[in-house]
Amino acid sequence: MAAMDVIVEKLVTVWRRPAVRRIFPLLFLLISSVGSIFKELELVPPSYFSSSKNFFNLYFVKVSWGWTLLLLTPFLLISSSVHRGASLLGQRLLSLVVATAVWYICTETFLYIEDATGACFESKTSLLATNEFASKATCRRAGFNWRGQDISGHSFILTYSSLLIMEETSPMAILRTASLPALARTVLNLLYVALNLILMTWVWMFVCTSVYFHHPIDKLLGTICGLLVWYLTYRYWYLKPFSPGLPPQRQLKEQKQHA
């Protein structure tokens, strides 16, 4: 597995750079803004990814939170066991519980806002709303079109999932030199590479969302929500005593900064 070790080493080297970790969150705002301009000016021609029925959208983005948890959970289980701390494992699993709660509350809030601010129209081009249907669900079931403040759930979840993976995989910088059984190291390396691949997928699909779908304000709001909940947890709350805390590598960094 020498090749895998080389790949892991290169990925860790990239993510250890402070500039990369500072710029990465801002990248989503840049992509969303520039992509929205491209979409409004119709500068990007249709492609396989301009269809919402493309493979990656159907089987990855629409269940993106499931993919994120599926890969992050075993990674945290193995990486926490290396530090031989049940409390650390509990903290990291609690961070996933918090993240899942954030994901659920935000997505449900987006749906509520769309319902509360919308109206039912007979078609996408119709200018006259019908008062017969008071919710998006009943409107859609009747074959009509619902128009409301549709905050982009894709922009939100792809931003938030990517930043969550960035934060929770940071211990790999110290794990790669830890003494581990061969099987544990192999599984950990595979999970780390898989998490980086899924993160790249999220970024690519975020680009596609930006240039092909949604109104600019809806994408910007979704992106800002993803950045905001990440910042409030990993840059504010998790620095406090009564919180899940930061991953080990980030804890060491914060301790040095405050020493």
Side-chain angles (χ1 to χ4, degrees), residues 8 23 54 171 213 218:
V8 169
I23 293 171
N54 73 74
F213 303 102
D218 295 332

Side-chain angles (χ1 to χ4, degrees), residues 88-101:
L88 176 61
L89 174 59
Q91 286 178 320
R92 300 303 0 114
L93 293 180
L94 182 57
S95 72
L96 292 189
V97 173
V98 170
T100 301

Side-chain angles (χ1 to χ4, degrees), residues 24-64:
F24 188 60
L26 300 177
L27 184 65
F28 291 96
L29 277 178
L30 178 63
I31 293 172
S32 185
S33 301
V34 175
S36 293
I37 294 172
F38 279 23
K39 178 183 182 297
E40 295 305 301
L41 296 178
E42 298 182 348
L43 296 177
V44 181
S47 71
Y48 174 74
F49 292 98
S50 61
S51 169
S52 60
K53 294 183 179 180
N54 73 74
F55 175 84
F56 292 95
N57 189 57
L58 288 176
Y59 298 105
F60 283 88
V61 177
K62 287 188 178 297
V63 287
S64 55

Side-chain angles (χ1 to χ4, degrees), residues 122-142:
E122 291 186 2
S123 68
K124 289 184 177 180
T125 57
S126 176
L127 299 177
L128 184 63
T130 173
N131 295 324
E132 185 178 352
F133 306 102
S135 71
K136 178 180 177 180
T138 55
C139 177
R140 288 281 182 85
R141 279 199 295 268

Side-chain angles (χ1 to χ4, degrees), residues 117 145 228-229 257:
T117 60
N145 185 259
L228 182 62
V229 292
Q257 288 178 346

Side-chain angles (χ1 to χ4, degrees), residues 75-86 88-90 92 175:
F75 178 86
L76 294 181
L77 287 172
I78 297 173
S79 61
S80 297
S81 68
V82 172
H83 297 279
R84 295 179 175 82
L88 176 61
L89 174 59
R92 300 303 0 114
L175 289 171

Side-chain angles (χ1 to χ4, degrees), residues 181-246:
L183 179 59
R185 179 171 297 282
T186 299
V187 173
L188 196 64
N189 284 347
L190 288 172
L191 286 169
Y192 183 69
V193 172
L195 281 161
N196 275 274
L197 287 174
I198 206 73
L199 185 150
M200 293 175 199
T201 302
W202 296 162
V203 173
W204 170 246
M205 294 309 295
F206 184 87
V207 172
C208 294
T209 297
S210 298
V211 299
Y212 287 126
F213 303 102
H214 296 289
H215 189 275
I217 189 63
D218 295 332
K219 288 179 284 193
L220 188 59
L221 286 173
T223 304
I224 289 173
C225 285
L227 290 168
L228 182 62
V229 292
W230 160 75
Y231 184 87
L232 290 176
T233 48
Y234 285 92
R235 293 294 185 268
Y236 181 74
W237 182 32
Y238 288 4
L239 300 178
K240 307 296 182 183
F242 299 103
S243 73
L246 294 170

